Amino acid sequence: MVLVSHDRYFLDATVKRITEVGLKTLTDYHGNYSKYLVEHAARMDRLRESHQRQSEEIEKAEAFINRFRYQATKARQVQSRIKQLDKVERIEIPPRARRSASSSPTLPSRAGWCSR
């Protein structure tokens, strides 16, 4: 059963499992909506940390490659690092959710009044 609602209290009271569609995957969370929010935030923090660590490792490997690319004594190591970088599955992180400020449409100053 699929339930779509904007009422958090209703979701807390009725759901026992939430499936999130994002990052090209489905992620299953067991529990109510409040528990989902906590687990989702923790998962995003872990994902950001993993992405940061991976980015640092990639930067180190690229620095090594750029530094020793043209030295004959390091050619084998450089080629090995290039192959490693090609095999790395890059971690994607979603952009942070932004809450948009709601604005009401502006009404004309005088409805139905036409000036000539």
Side-chain angles (χ1 to χ4, degrees):
M1 174 203 261
V2 176
L3 173 67
V4 178
S5 176
H6 296 282
D7 187 357
R8 293 177 183 203
Y9 301 109
F10 175 71
L11 289 174
D12 264 345
T14 57
V15 300
K16 294 180 183 172
R17 182 176 132 193
I18 294 177
T19 302
E20 176 187 49
V21 180
L23 295 175
K24 302 175 187 172
T25 61
L26 295 174
T27 307
D28 223 13
Y29 296 93
H30 295 280
N32 61 9
Y33 185 72
S34 296
K35 188 173 179 184
Y36 157 74
L37 290 176
V38 171
E39 288 183 16
H40 177 73
R43 180 174 171 265
M44 288 296 113
D45 288 341
R46 287 191 307 270
L47 192 61
R48 285 187 191 95
E49 289 173 9
S50 298
H51 180 263
Q52 182 65 30
R53 274 188 264 115
Q54 185 185 54
S55 296
E56 290 171 1
E57 291 296 321
I58 289 171
E59 285 177 16
K60 286 180 186 177
E62 288 175 345
F64 181 87
I65 291 167
N66 291 333
R67 183 174 178 195
F68 297 113
R69 180 176 295 265
Y70 301 107
Q71 289 186 9
T73 58
K74 301 280 186 177
R76 181 178 284 173
Q77 291 176 0
V78 168
Q79 290 303 315
S80 173
R81 301 272 172 103
I82 291 172
K83 286 181 185 178
Q84 284 178 348
L85 281 181
D86 289 340
K87 291 179 182 179
V88 169
E89 189 172 323
R90 308 282 171 136
I91 297 173
E92 293 182 35
I93 57 172
R96 292 185 186 250
R98 295 183 188 156
R99 293 185 181 234
S100 61
S102 61
S103 61
S104 59
T106 57
L107 298 174
S109 59
R110 293 184 174 179
W113 176 263
C114 293
S115 62
R116 293 184 184 185

